[in-house]
Amino acid sequence: MNAAVQRVKANPEYVTSGEWVITDARHDSSANAYHSTVPCMAGSTRRIVGIATLSRPEHRVAQTREVACTKIVLPQLIARGLNVTEVAHDYQSTIKTNVEQLGMVNSYDTWHGIPGD
């Protein structure tokens, strides 16, 4: 993933605009998933620049793992020196709050985007 981050940083627009990323959870089954993963894809390169996985022992309910994984993956990007300026994600108020606390612009992904604040 470090190579993917370096590829993003090599884009001329990155220097002035930073990077936007999109996150979304993937579960190992459609019901009662044991493992959940949130990959984070860079908008400019469509490469995975971060990933977090949690399992049932960490969070019993699969739906809560998306928020927890997102809270793990965004600081990973910061630690790698990626200037993330905007994050698109599922419509989750908890994720929105976390994104804004990190000083990033909040957006909703195209299939969850709805009128809102």
Side-chain angles (χ1 to χ4, degrees):
M1 276 182 260
N2 286 331
V5 169
Q6 293 309 315
R7 189 170 179 169
V8 169
K9 289 180 177 182
N11 288 332
E13 299 84 22
Y14 174 78
V15 176
T16 56
S17 303
E19 180 65 25
W20 69 274
V21 297
I22 187 166
T23 63
D24 198 17
R26 296 289 173 250
H27 306 286
D28 65 1
S29 63
S30 59
N32 201 22
Y34 192 84
H35 302 288
S36 300
T37 298
V38 171
C40 185
M41 183 176 71
S44 66
T45 62
R46 296 189 175 137
R47 303 260 179 192
I48 301 300
V49 292
I51 193 164
T53 300
L54 291 173
S55 301
R56 194 176 295 148
E58 290 94 4
H59 289 274
R60 186 116 181 100
V61 180
Q63 291 80 359
T64 65
R65 289 185 222 134
E66 180 167 8
V67 172
C69 284
T70 302
K71 287 182 175 183
I72 292 169
V73 79
L74 294 177
Q76 280 179 0
L77 302 179
I78 294 167
R80 289 190 179 112
L82 192 62
N83 178 22
V84 177
T85 56
E86 183 174 355
V87 180
H89 58 88
D90 290 354
Y91 187 77
Q92 293 254 4
S93 61
T94 307
I95 295 175
K96 176 186 176 201
T97 301
N98 182 247
V99 166
E100 291 173 344
Q101 286 173 343
L102 292 171
M104 301 168 188
V105 174
N106 179 74
S107 294
Y108 299 115
D109 59 35
T110 56
W111 51 95
H112 290 94
I114 62 169
D117 51 22

